[in-house]
Amino acid sequence: MAVENQRGHLGDKDGSGDPFPVGMRVLAVDDDPICLKVLETLLRKCQYHVTTTNQAVEALKMLRENRNKFDLVISDVNMPDMDGFKLLELVGLEMDLPVIMLSSDSDTKLVMKGVTHGACDYLLKPVRIEELKNIWQHVVRRRNFDCRDQNKASNEEKAPNIVGESSQGLRSENSADQSKRLGKKRKDQSEEEEEDGEGNGDDEDPSAQKKPRVVWSVELHRKFVAAVNQLGLDKAVPKKILDLMNVEGLTRENVASHLQKYRLYLKKAAQQANMVAALGGSDSYLRMGSIDGYGDFCTSSASGRISNSTLPSYASSGIFSRLNSPAGLNMRGISTSALIRPVQSQSINSSLNTLGNIQPSIFPTNQSSSLLHGIPTSIELNQSKQSNSPTGISQLNQVDLSGFTVASSFPDSRAAVNGPNNSLPCVPNNHLMLQGNPQQTHSPGAFRNQSSVRVASLSGESFDMGMCGPSNLLDYNRCNENWQNAAQLSKFPANSLPLCEPFSNDQLPPTSINASNSSTPIGNSPVDFSSRTRMTIPVPLDDARNELRCQEGLIGNIVQPSSYAPQQRWEEHKLDYNQNMSRPFNPVNSHASHSGVTSSMGHGLNQNNTICSNRFDASLVGQLNGPSPSISRCTEVEKFSSDIRLKQNETYILEQMKSQDGYMQNTFGTLDDIMGAMVKREQNELTLLDGEMGFDAYPVGSCN
Amino acid sequence: MDKNQSRRQVASMKQSLFDQGLLDEQFIQLEGLQDDANPNFVEEIVTLHYRDSSRLISSIEQALKERNPMDFNKLDTLMHQFKGSSSSIGAKKVKAECNLFREYCRAGNAEGCVRSFQQLKKEYVALRKKLEAYFQLARQVGPQETACRSK
C-alpha cells in the first residue's frame, strides 16, 4: 500500500520508536549552486537524507522512477528549465508528495500562487536551519491524513475491483450501484474531464463537488492520489477511494472516472519510461501526467505520449497474450479479443487497461507476434493508463491502434485468427479486410474486426497521406499507414477507404468503409476532437455514421480532455478508426465512440480512415457485435504495428478507446478525458510517428 | 606567531564586518554548518558564490548597456538570481542594493538602475576583498569554534 510505503520509509512504525524525522528523505531542487549547496548542508545538519539536483526535469525523473524514494520535495520557484510551480503541481498530482517552495522573493502573489498550487509551505531564502528543522511536520501531517482516510475506507470493503480489467470490474461494480448515475456521471465526468483537459480548474474550488461537474482541483486530486496510494493502485475502488477522500458532494462516479484517467496516466508514465528506453524516449508521456500539474495529468494522457512508450511495451506481446487468452476477451462487450476497447466502454480507465490487455490477446492469435508486438504495447499502455484517466485515454487510443494495426497486418492469417478468437480476431479480421483479403471471412465477428481494422489500415494509409500532416495524428495514423503498408491495403485514397472491399468478406459492409473512406474525408474531422462531445465526428460514413458517431462521441469525448486540437482531427479520425475497429464488436455506438475516439487519435493519419473506420464500425459493429474485440484489437494490432512505428501510444490509446467504444459507451465521460489525453499523446506521438508512418514496421506485415 | 592573537584578530575582523552591516545572520548560520566534516565550508561557499556571481554581474552589465529600450524584465530576473546567491552567503549590503535595483527595474527607471548597479558593484567588490582577507587569516588560525589546530 502506498501508505505503508510512505510510512515505511519514514521509519519503522508510525509513532514511538520511529527515528523519523531523522533520515527523512528530501529531494532538493534549485538551479543556483550556492543555494543548493547551502540547503543541502542545512538539511544534512538536520539529519535528513538529502538528494539534490539543479534541474527540475531531473528531479521529476527521479521522482517518477520511484515515488517512494522520497518523503518531501523542496524546490526553488525560479528555475530556468521549468517553473517551480509547475513542478509543484506535477509532483503533487503524480506522486502526492509534500512540496515546499523556496524563493528569495517574498512577494505575496508568489506565496499565494504556491499555496494554490498545493505547496505545503513557502520558505524564503536564505533558509534558516530552524525552519528546516520543522519541515518534517508536513510529511507527518500528510501521512496521518491519508491514514485516516484509509481507515475509513477500509471499513467499507468495496467489491473486488479489478483494476486492469478491473476498470471494468469497477465499472460493473459501480454500475451495479449506480448504473443510472453512471450514465449521468459519465457525462459529468466528461464535462469534468473536459474542463480538466482544458482548464484544469484545480486552482479554484478545490472541492466543487456539489456541482454536477466535479472539478478536480489540485487539492482534490491530492486527496484522491493519497487515497489511491493508501489502497494500492490495484485495489483502489472508487467507493473506497471516495470514502477515504471524504469529500462532500463527490460521487463514486466522479471518482471512478477520475480513477480511470489516473490509471491511464500512471500507465502512460510508466510506459513512457519504458518507452523511452525502447523508443527512444517519448518524454511527452511522462509529461502527460502532469499537465499543469493536474492538468498535465489530463493532458498528458491525451497527448498519447504514452503511445510511444506504450508501444514498446506492446512488443512485449505478453500483454497481448493476456488479452488474447480471454478469447472471450469480451472485455466489455467487445469480444475480449481486441477489446482493448473494452476499456473504453468501461470507463476510460478500464478500457484502457482492457485495451491494452485486449490487444495482446488479440494478437497472439492472429499473428505471429509481429502484430502483437505492436499491440501489446499499446495494451500495456492502456493498462497503465487505465488508472490515470487522462492517460488512460491515451492509452486507449494506443491500444486501439495497435489493435488496428494488428488487424491490418493479418490479412489472411488474420482471418484465421478471427475465427478462434472472436475477441481477437478483430484485429486479424480487420486486417484481412484491409488487406483486401477476401479470405477474411474470418468469422463474422472477426470480420468485424477486420473491418475495423481495415478501416484502420485504410485510414492509416489515407491518413498517412492525409494525416501525416497533422503529425499528431496519433499513432493511429501510423497504424493506418502501417496497415496500409503492411496490409497493402489498397491504397485507400485518403478518402476512399477501400476498406470497404476487404470487408466485404462478409460481414462488414465493406462498402461502408469505402464509403466512409471516400466520403469521409474524415480528415480530421469528424472526430475532431472539437467535437468532443461524442461523436461529432462528421464521418461521412453512411452507415458507419452511426457507429462513427459513437466513435466520434468517444473520440469527441476523449478528445475533449485532451486538448490536442490539431491532432485531434486526426486523432479523431483515428478514433474513428479505432472506433470503427472496435466498434465492430460493440454496438455500433459504443464502438463508434470508442473507435471514434481512438480513431481520431489514430486517425490523425487518415482522415479517411476515420471515415472508414466509422464505417467499419457501423459494419463492424453490426457484425462484430460479438467479436467487437477484433476491432479493438485491430486497433491494437495496428497499434502494434504502428506501435512499432508509431510508438505513439496515442493511437493506441485511441484504439483502446475505440475498442472501448463498446464499453466506452459508459465511460465516455472518462474516456473522453482519457481520449483527450491520449489523443494528445497520440498526436504528439503521431508527430513523431509521422515519419514512421510506414507501418510496415509492424509485424502486421503478415497482413499482406 | 601567537595563535590567540591571530584568532582574536580574525574574530575582530569578522565582528567589524557585522558591525558595518556587510554581513548578516546568514553568515553565522553558515559558520554553524562548518564542522569537522566540512572544515572550510564557509570559505567554500563564499568562493563558489563569487565565481558564480561574477558571471551574473557581467550579464547585468551587458544588459544595462542596452538603453533603448532597457530590458527591465531581463534585468529583474538576473538580479533576482544574484540576490538569491548573495543572500545565501549573508551579504547584507549587497542584498539591500539588489532590492533597490529591482525596485528601479519595476519602476522602469533606467537611470536608477544604472546608478544602483554602480553602487551594488562597489559593495560587492568591497565585501569580496574583505572576505578574502578574512579567510586568509582564518586559515592561518585554524577552525575558530573548535580547538585551534596549530598551523
Side-chain angles (χ1 to χ4, degrees), chain A residues 5-20:
Chain A
N5 288 340
Q6 281 183 347
R7 255 189 278 181
H9 58 247
L10 285 181
D12 305 337
K13 30 224 171 93
D14 181 25
S16 55
D18 195 338
F20 182 80

mmCIF file of all heavy atoms in Angstrom, chain A residues 5-20:
data_model
loop_
_atom_site.group_PDB
_atom_site.id
_atom_site.type_symbol
_atom_site.label_atom_id
_atom_site.label_comp_id
_atom_site.label_asym_id
_atom_site.label_seq_id
_atom_site.Cartn_x
_atom_site.Cartn_y
_atom_site.Cartn_z
ATOM 1 N N ASN A 5 3.984 2.295 2.376
ATOM 2 C CA ASN A 5 5.291 2.638 1.846
ATOM 3 C C ASN A 5 5.732 3.953 2.407
ATOM 4 O O ASN A 5 6.843 4.147 2.825
ATOM 5 C CB ASN A 5 5.210 2.763 0.332
ATOM 6 C CG ASN A 5 5.052 1.386 -0.255
ATOM 7 O OD1 ASN A 5 5.379 0.419 0.409
ATOM 8 N ND2 ASN A 5 4.564 1.306 -1.453
ATOM 9 N N GLN A 6 4.810 4.801 2.389
ATOM 10 C CA GLN A 6 5.188 6.118 2.860
ATOM 11 C C GLN A 6 5.701 5.998 4.252
ATOM 12 O O GLN A 6 6.696 6.552 4.636
ATOM 13 C CB GLN A 6 3.973 7.030 2.883
ATOM 14 C CG GLN A 6 3.671 7.526 1.513
ATOM 15 C CD GLN A 6 2.531 8.475 1.574
ATOM 16 O OE1 GLN A 6 1.852 8.565 2.582
ATOM 17 N NE2 GLN A 6 2.315 9.179 0.521
ATOM 18 N N ARG A 7 4.938 5.271 4.974
ATOM 19 C CA ARG A 7 5.314 5.188 6.344
ATOM 20 C C ARG A 7 6.600 4.462 6.464
ATOM 21 O O ARG A 7 7.422 4.746 7.261
ATOM 22 C CB ARG A 7 4.268 4.434 7.065
ATOM 23 C CG ARG A 7 3.563 5.485 7.783
ATOM 24 C CD ARG A 7 2.720 5.127 8.611
ATOM 25 N NE ARG A 7 1.539 4.872 7.768
ATOM 26 C CZ ARG A 7 0.497 4.514 8.300
ATOM 27 N NH1 ARG A 7 0.453 4.418 9.479
ATOM 28 N NH2 ARG A 7 -0.522 4.261 7.624
ATOM 29 N N GLY A 8 6.700 3.526 5.659
ATOM 30 C CA GLY A 8 7.883 2.704 5.778
ATOM 31 C C GLY A 8 9.151 3.500 5.678
ATOM 32 O O GLY A 8 10.060 3.360 6.460
ATOM 33 N N HIS A 9 9.167 4.322 4.749
ATOM 34 C CA HIS A 9 10.434 4.979 4.612
ATOM 35 C C HIS A 9 10.667 5.944 5.731
ATOM 36 O O HIS A 9 11.757 6.304 6.052
ATOM 37 C CB HIS A 9 10.531 5.687 3.280
ATOM 38 C CG HIS A 9 9.453 6.667 3.120
ATOM 39 N ND1 HIS A 9 8.472 6.531 2.214
ATOM 40 C CD2 HIS A 9 9.211 7.802 3.781
ATOM 41 C CE1 HIS A 9 7.679 7.548 2.311
ATOM 42 N NE2 HIS A 9 8.099 8.333 3.236
ATOM 43 N N LEU A 10 9.648 6.343 6.281
ATOM 44 C CA LEU A 10 9.868 7.305 7.340
ATOM 45 C C LEU A 10 10.465 6.625 8.541
ATOM 46 O O LEU A 10 11.219 7.175 9.292
ATOM 47 C CB LEU A 10 8.537 7.929 7.750
ATOM 48 C CG LEU A 10 8.092 8.918 6.689
ATOM 49 C CD1 LEU A 10 6.810 9.539 7.125
ATOM 50 C CD2 LEU A 10 9.155 9.973 6.545
ATOM 51 N N GLY A 11 10.081 5.492 8.700
ATOM 52 C CA GLY A 11 10.596 4.842 9.898
ATOM 53 C C GLY A 11 9.907 3.517 9.971
ATOM 54 O O GLY A 11 9.172 3.143 9.081
ATOM 55 N N ASP A 12 10.168 2.804 10.980
ATOM 56 C CA ASP A 12 9.514 1.516 11.012
ATOM 57 C C ASP A 12 8.079 1.664 11.339
ATOM 58 O O ASP A 12 7.222 1.100 10.726
ATOM 59 C CB ASP A 12 10.124 0.634 12.085
ATOM 60 C CG ASP A 12 11.576 0.565 11.848
ATOM 61 O OD1 ASP A 12 11.951 0.803 10.714
ATOM 62 O OD2 ASP A 12 12.312 0.303 12.786
ATOM 63 N N LYS A 13 7.838 2.343 12.323
ATOM 64 C CA LYS A 13 6.440 2.463 12.617
ATOM 65 C C LYS A 13 6.083 3.904 12.769
ATOM 66 O O LYS A 13 6.907 4.767 12.943
ATOM 67 C CB LYS A 13 6.123 1.767 13.909
ATOM 68 C CG LYS A 13 7.291 1.843 14.753
ATOM 69 C CD LYS A 13 7.552 0.557 15.406
ATOM 70 C CE LYS A 13 8.874 0.661 16.067
ATOM 71 N NZ LYS A 13 9.416 0.882 16.941
ATOM 72 N N ASP A 14 4.921 4.055 12.752
ATOM 73 C CA ASP A 14 4.445 5.396 12.850
ATOM 74 C C ASP A 14 4.309 5.686 14.326
ATOM 75 O O ASP A 14 3.518 5.085 14.991
ATOM 76 C CB ASP A 14 3.090 5.384 12.174
ATOM 77 C CG ASP A 14 2.508 6.737 12.205
ATOM 78 O OD1 ASP A 14 3.287 7.691 12.281
ATOM 79 O OD2 ASP A 14 1.292 6.808 12.159
ATOM 80 N N GLY A 15 5.086 6.530 14.804
ATOM 81 C CA GLY A 15 4.886 6.776 16.237
ATOM 82 C C GLY A 15 6.140 6.507 17.029
ATOM 83 O O GLY A 15 7.251 6.771 16.577
ATOM 84 N N SER A 16 5.980 6.002 18.122
ATOM 85 C CA SER A 16 7.114 5.827 19.018
ATOM 86 C C SER A 16 8.161 4.924 18.395
ATOM 87 O O SER A 16 7.869 4.002 17.655
ATOM 88 C CB SER A 16 6.620 5.202 20.309
ATOM 89 O OG SER A 16 5.939 4.023 19.994
ATOM 90 N N GLY A 17 9.341 5.224 18.728
ATOM 91 C CA GLY A 17 10.409 4.383 18.219
ATOM 92 C C GLY A 17 10.791 4.758 16.801
ATOM 93 O O GLY A 17 11.781 4.298 16.270
ATOM 94 N N ASP A 18 10.012 5.556 16.238
ATOM 95 C CA ASP A 18 10.279 5.935 14.862
ATOM 96 C C ASP A 18 11.411 6.948 14.827
ATOM 97 O O ASP A 18 11.318 7.983 15.465
ATOM 98 C CB ASP A 18 9.005 6.560 14.295
ATOM 99 C CG ASP A 18 9.077 6.634 12.776
ATOM 100 O OD1 ASP A 18 10.208 6.616 12.261
ATOM 101 O OD2 ASP A 18 8.027 6.686 12.172
ATOM 102 N N PRO A 19 12.441 6.649 14.119
ATOM 103 C CA PRO A 19 13.554 7.588 14.065
ATOM 104 C C PRO A 19 13.171 8.871 13.354
ATOM 105 O O PRO A 19 13.856 9.865 13.435
ATOM 106 C CB PRO A 19 14.628 6.836 13.273
ATOM 107 C CG PRO A 19 13.883 5.824 12.489
ATOM 108 C CD PRO A 19 12.703 5.454 13.312
ATOM 109 N N PHE A 20 12.106 8.794 12.669
ATOM 110 C CA PHE A 20 11.639 9.974 11.951
ATOM 111 C C PHE A 20 11.507 11.118 12.939
ATOM 112 O O PHE A 20 11.047 10.930 14.028
ATOM 113 C CB PHE A 20 10.297 9.640 11.326
ATOM 114 C CG PHE A 20 9.746 10.762 10.516
ATOM 115 C CD1 PHE A 20 10.201 10.973 9.230
ATOM 116 C CD2 PHE A 20 8.793 11.601 11.048
ATOM 117 C CE1 PHE A 20 9.699 12.007 8.482
ATOM 118 C CE2 PHE A 20 8.280 12.637 10.303
ATOM 119 C CZ PHE A 20 8.737 12.844 9.010
#
